[in-house]
Amino acid sequence: MFQAHGYAAHDKHSHLVPFSFERRAPGLNDVVIEILYSGVCHSDLHQARDDWGGSIYPMVPGHEIIGRVTQVGSGVHKFKVGDLAGVGCLVDSCRHCSACEEDLEQYCENGPTVTYNGRERDTGAPTYGGYSDIIVVDQHFVVKVSDKLDLKAVAPLLCAGITTYSPLRHWKVGPGQKVGVIGLGGLGHMGVKFAKAMGATVVMITTSPSKSQDAQRLGANEVLLSTDADAMKAHANSFDFLLNTVPVPHDINPYLALLRRDRTMAMVGVLTELDPPPNGVSLILGRKSVAGSAIGGLKETQEMMDFCAEHNIVSDVEMIAIQDINQAYERLLRNDVKYRFVIDMASLKDPS
C-alpha cells in the first residue's frame, strides 16, 4: 500500500481539508503516478457538496490529472518510469460490454468506475481523485502526455478538453462547416479552440457582449449575441453543428432555429431538465436533432492529447495552491475564472 496525502471534503457542508489515506499497492498492469497538476472541474464542486446526490465521504475530488510515472507493474507496456502521464474521469470499466469493446468506456453498460466518488470494481473501496500527491491506475486508463505542451495547462484537457473534442469528432466537424459554440466558459473556450483547429468557421454564441473580444482571441471568426433578435434571424438555418456548453437549464429553441436541415445540436453542459423543453416544431421542421455527449473513451482521449500536441492547444488556466481550493470553489460559483483553475500539487508539501 502507498500512504497518500491530499485534500478531502468530509460532508456536503464542510470545506476541503488535509487528508491522509491509502492507495492500493500496484498490480501487474498498474501505473503509479506522482501528481504534478490537478485541474478543478465544476463537477468537483457539485459532488463535494452533494448537489447531485450519492456523494461518498470523505471525498478527494479531481479528475484532471497530470503527473510523472514513478513505478510500473510487470505487465505494463505503455509506460516506463519517468514518463509524463494523464488520468481523466475514468479509472476502470467492465471491459467486455459492447461499449467497452468499441473503445467507448465512458458509456460502459455496466457503469464505468469514475476517478473519484466511485468504488473500485474488485474491492468496493472508494476511489480518491487528483487533489492528492499520488495515484495508482490501470495502464489502460492512463494516457501519454507530450512534453511539448505547458503541463499545468494540459490538466483540464482530461475533462473540459475531451468533453468538447468528442462531440466535434463524432459529428465530423471539419473544413467548410459553420460551427456554433454556445457559452464561453471552461467548456466553451475549449470548443472554440478545437473547432477552429479542425478547420471550421467558428461562431461564438453568447448572451454577454463583454465576451466578444476574448472569443475572438481564442479563435472565433464571429460572435453572435443570442439576445439580438435581428442577428439571430440573420443566422437562421445556417449552422452545420452547434456545441451547447451552457451548464444550467435554458431555452434551446432559439438555437435550434440556427441549424440547417438535418443538423445536430449536442448538449455537453446541462445535466438537469431543460426549461422550457424543446418545442416539437423546432425539431420537426427541418428534421433537426438534439443530442447529448459525455467525455470520450480512452482511445479518443489519447487521440485528443496527440491532436493538442500537434496544434499546440491547451486550456487557459489560473494556477492556485491546494490551500486555496475552498476560495476557488467560491469563485467558481461566481464564474470568476478564465477559464479553469489548476492546482499546483507541489503546494501540498507546503507546511503553511
Side-chain angles (χ1 to χ4, degrees):
M1 305 289 283
F2 284 99
Q3 187 69 20
H5 306 279
Y7 267 56
H10 288 270
D11 60 59
K12 66 180 182 180
H13 301 294
S14 69
H15 282 167
L16 273 67
V17 295
F19 177 62
S20 296
F21 58 101
E22 289 186 335
R23 297 284 194 191
R24 70 173 184 266
L28 181 70
N29 294 305
D30 281 337
V31 178
V32 182
I33 301 169
E34 176 193 6
I35 300 175
L36 303 176
Y37 301 103
S38 183
V40 179
C41 180
H42 213 290
S43 60
D44 298 348
L45 169 62
H46 284 304
Q47 296 199 78
R49 299 189 175 182
D50 199 25
D51 291 339
W52 300 333
S55 291
I56 302 168
Y57 299 102
M59 181 193 300
V60 178
H63 58 205
E64 301 176 346
I65 299 166
I66 296 294
R68 193 174 298 277
V69 176
T70 59
Q71 186 175 335
V72 297
S74 59
V76 172
H77 55 84
K78 289 175 58 179
F79 297 92
K80 64 182 185 301
V81 172
D83 284 350
L84 294 171
V87 178
C89 302
L90 307 179
V91 292
D92 205 355
S93 69
C94 79
R95 318 286 184 99
H96 57 72
C97 70
S98 63
C100 288
E101 289 179 352
E102 294 177 33
D103 299 310
L104 298 170
E105 298 91 348
Q106 75 274 32
Y107 301 124
C108 175
E109 293 162 16
N110 295 297
T113 301
V114 291
T115 304
Y116 73 90
N117 199 35
R119 294 196 180 274
E120 294 184 352
R121 305 184 89 82
D122 51 350
T123 68
T127 56
Y128 295 122
Y131 296 9
S132 56
D133 56 357
I134 193 170
I135 193 167
V136 182
V137 183
D138 186 292
Q139 65 174 335
H140 181 79
F141 292 86
V142 182
V143 295
K144 297 177 181 179
V145 177
S146 171
D147 60 4
K148 297 178 182 178
L149 298 173
D150 181 355
L151 292 183
K152 65 180 182 294
V154 170
L157 297 178
L158 276 305
C159 179
I162 189 59
T163 295
T164 49
Y165 181 88
S166 185
L168 292 169
R169 286 287 288 152
H170 179 76
W171 277 278
K172 298 179 173 58
V173 165
Q177 294 186 343
K178 180 179 176 182
V179 172
V181 178
I182 304 169
L184 184 58
L187 294 178
H189 94 287
M190 291 306 310
V192 170
K193 291 185 180 189
F194 282 136
K196 183 71 171 181
M198 290 174 181
T201 297
V202 183
V203 180
M204 166 51 60
I205 304 171
T206 178
T207 59
S208 305
S210 61
K211 294 185 176 180
S212 294
Q213 185 174 353
D214 220 24
Q216 291 172 334
R217 175 186 64 82
L218 293 164
N221 299 93
E222 186 177 348
V223 176
L224 170 59
L225 294 179
S226 58
T227 53
D228 185 334
D230 289 338
M232 289 288 282
K233 186 176 181 180
H235 282 272
N237 302 306
S238 67
F239 283 85
D240 295 289
F241 182 73
L242 293 174
L243 182 67
N244 189 327
T245 73
V246 178
V248 295
H250 60 287
D251 186 359
I252 67 170
N253 292 293
Y255 302 123
L256 286 171
L258 298 174
L259 285 171
R260 296 175 58 199
R261 173 176 47 80
D262 292 325
R263 300 307 194 265
T264 298
M265 174 166 59
M267 311 291 294
V268 297
V270 64
L271 297 178
T272 55
E273 295 84 357
L274 294 171
D275 183 22
N279 187 307
V281 171
S282 300
L283 298 170
I284 292 169
L285 298 183
R287 202 161 54 191
K288 300 173 183 180
S289 299
V290 177
S293 180
I295 57 171
L298 272 298
K299 181 179 179 181
E300 188 173 56
T301 303
Q302 186 63 66
E303 176 190 300
M304 176 210 65
M305 296 296 280
D306 296 342
F307 183 88
C308 288
E310 179 184 353
H311 295 274
N312 194 31
I313 294 174
V314 292
S315 298
D316 285 25
V317 303
E318 179 180 334
M319 297 301 297
I320 62 169
I322 187 65
Q323 293 81 4
D324 297 325
I325 186 60
N326 295 299
Q327 295 93 317
Y329 276 11
E330 293 304 315
R331 288 180 57 191
L332 273 181
L333 290 171
R334 303 193 300 268
N335 295 318
D336 179 24
V337 58
K338 287 187 176 180
Y339 282 95
R340 303 288 283 202
F341 287 118
V342 172
I343 306 167
D344 182 350
M345 294 311 303
S347 62
L348 194 59
K349 301 173 184 177
D350 186 344
S352 63

